Amino acid sequence: MSTKNKVALVVGAQGVIGRNLITHLAALGDWDVIGLSRRGGASAGRVRYVEVDLLDRDDCREKLGGLTQVTHLFYAAYQDRPTWAELVPPNLAMLVNVVEAVEPIAPGLRHVSLMQGYKVYGAHLGPFKTPARETDAHHMPPEFNVDQQAFLESRQKGKAWSWSAIRPSVVCGFALGNPMNLAMVIAVYAAISKELGLPLRFPGKPGAYDKLLEMTDAELLAKATLWAATDERCANQAFNINNGDLFRWSELWPKIARFFDLEVAPPLPMSLDVVMADKEPLWKAMQEKHGLERHAYKDVSSWRFGDFVFSWDYDMFADGSKARRFGFHEYVETEAMFLRIFADFRRRGVIP
């Protein structure tokens, strides 16, 4: 593959997944990158951004109609909705709008990468078969991840391009204004606990503290996503991508507390979405006191997602061996990942 015709279109460029994928592609030096998001972005070097409303079919056709050089489409956009059924129409429509705008005008398109997750296995509904495998049967709909993949499979038939479906666990990395950012949830919760002179209490369901879980580092995910999109063996395949180790909050929580110089108190079930709703004035005072960057409270808090993750009173992990069998062998220690991300938040002035 020559340097001049590697053009990545990253959809969902400001999310934790898209942002880290763009950083990875840019560091390689032989990719031109176009990032799509509602918020746009600051273009630099071989990376440029396009502000587009993915739910608006006409806006997609207008803004993306000139992207004729795209060779790889990486789809990582997501819009949150209150119920599982309500998630389907917007999230399917965004993918359809992008593919229908780009595929007809990009003759060199080689691959479409779809970011999914363990919702494919029904992990969000309750206890499910673990370890989950790519060959597991689908569950009763609605499920937008399954609908998105079905669309790509149907669209790809007879075409020169291929697709891949990437299935990470909870993705941890840096991003602002993201509805699903667990590392930020923990960091801000710990920082506020320390400011109030409180110990760090696990806020989830009683049964969640000792269940087996896994995470997916955003940098690891970026490498795996690119690997699956460029290795011919991965064409038209789905892959679970995880750090490669398992943990329990009961073991990891004290280590997180130690990073923030906090004591640990016994778990206490509470909704972060409720108890943290009135903390914006305190957060602004902390920004002033500690000289932090003035990020809006809503951009550094994903309390509803934190409640969701901390409610898993059942094992939450998948089999990642298929990716290894196909050639991807990288892994990340989850404890080290969290501590590295927290340190990064401090360097960026997000938390004290």
Side-chain angles (χ1 to χ4, degrees):
M1 186 182 295
S2 63
T3 299
K4 63 182 180 181
N5 67 344
K6 294 168 67 173
V7 181
L9 181 65
V10 180
V11 187
Q14 296 297 340
V16 64
I17 295 174
R19 187 184 187 114
N20 281 274
L21 177 57
I22 288 175
T23 298
H24 178 58
L25 290 168
L28 294 175
D30 59 349
W31 284 84
D32 289 315
V33 183
I34 305 162
L36 303 186
S37 79
R38 286 174 296 172
R39 292 178 280 172
S43 300
R46 297 178 69 167
V47 180
R48 67 184 177 97
Y49 292 87
V50 176
E51 184 178 337
V52 60
D53 181 357
L54 299 178
L55 285 172
D56 187 328
R57 182 182 180 186
D58 292 335
D59 195 43
C60 285
R61 288 179 179 271
E62 178 184 346
K63 302 286 182 59
L64 312 183
L67 305 182
T68 59
Q69 301 303 310
V70 170
T71 58
H72 295 75
L73 195 163
F74 297 95
Y75 187 87
Y78 172 78
Q79 284 217 2
D80 202 17
R81 291 294 188 272
T83 68
W84 305 126
E86 290 176 273
L87 283 171
V88 175
N91 285 288
L92 179 58
M94 290 190 297
L95 174 65
V96 171
N97 288 343
V98 170
V99 172
E100 289 187 345
V102 173
E103 187 209 31
I105 54 95
L109 183 66
R110 302 174 193 176
H111 193 83
V112 178
S113 171
L114 174 64
M115 192 60 58
Q116 296 183 318
Y118 293 178
K119 288 186 180 72
V120 169
Y121 306 121
H124 56 306
L125 301 175
F128 65 108
K129 183 185 83 63
T130 54
R133 293 185 172 89
E134 294 88 347
T135 53
D136 289 351
H138 295 316
H139 60 83
M140 182 70 72
E143 179 43 55
F144 74 88
N145 288 274
V146 174
D147 291 351
Q148 288 177 327
Q149 183 175 330
F151 164 73
L152 280 187
E153 289 178 350
S154 175
R155 182 90 181 193
Q156 186 271 337
K157 289 179 180 178
K159 306 293 178 60
W161 54 272
S162 61
W163 60 267
S164 59
I166 307 301
R167 299 173 180 173
S169 182
V170 176
V171 180
C172 294
F174 176 76
L176 295 169
N178 189 286
M180 299 190 296
N181 194 336
L182 184 67
M184 189 73 80
V185 167
I186 296 173
V188 174
Y189 173 61
I192 290 178
S193 295
K194 186 172 184 177
E195 192 71 16
L196 293 173
L198 299 173
L200 191 66
R201 291 184 184 271
F202 180 75
K205 285 185 178 180
Y209 202 46
D210 64 353
K211 293 302 181 287
L212 282 172
L213 299 94
E214 65 187 358
M215 297 280 140
T216 302
D217 177 68
E219 295 179 8
L220 175 82
L221 180 60
K223 295 175 183 178
T225 301
L226 180 58
W227 159 76
T230 54
D231 190 321
E232 291 183 357
R233 293 173 296 176
C234 302
N236 306 327
Q237 298 282 335
F239 295 97
N240 295 328
I241 301 296
N242 43 51
N243 284 352
D245 61 356
L246 299 175
F247 73 95
R248 305 179 198 273
W249 287 120
S250 57
E251 183 180 8
L252 185 59
W253 203 254
K255 297 174 181 178
I256 291 174
R258 195 175 306 132
F259 177 90
F260 290 97
D261 296 318
L262 288 168
E263 297 295 323
V264 175
L268 180 65
M270 55 182 161
S271 167
L272 294 177
D273 199 35
V274 173
V275 301
M276 306 304 283
D278 66 343
K279 301 300 189 290
E280 184 171 3
L282 173 60
W283 182 251
K284 290 181 178 179
M286 289 171 61
Q287 289 177 324
E288 182 71 27
K289 175 182 176 181
H290 299 288
L292 304 178
E293 294 292 326
R294 300 304 175 90
H295 300 301
Y297 185 61
K298 65 179 178 61
D299 288 340
V300 298
S301 54
S302 309
W303 303 124
R304 187 171 166 231
F305 183 63
D307 287 340
F308 177 52
V309 173
F310 295 141
S311 74
W312 295 338
D313 53 0
Y314 48 90
D315 292 345
M316 173 70 69
F317 62 95
D319 178 9
S321 66
K322 179 180 177 182
R324 291 191 288 275
R325 292 194 303 272
F326 276 67
F328 185 77
H329 301 289
E330 301 218 19
Y331 64 91
V332 170
E333 182 187 15
T334 296
E335 177 187 339
M337 175 201 74
F338 272 117
L339 301 187
R340 169 175 51 81
I341 292 172
F342 295 152
D344 183 47
F345 290 167
R346 277 183 174 166
R347 282 193 300 269
R348 295 175 184 267
V350 178
I351 59 172

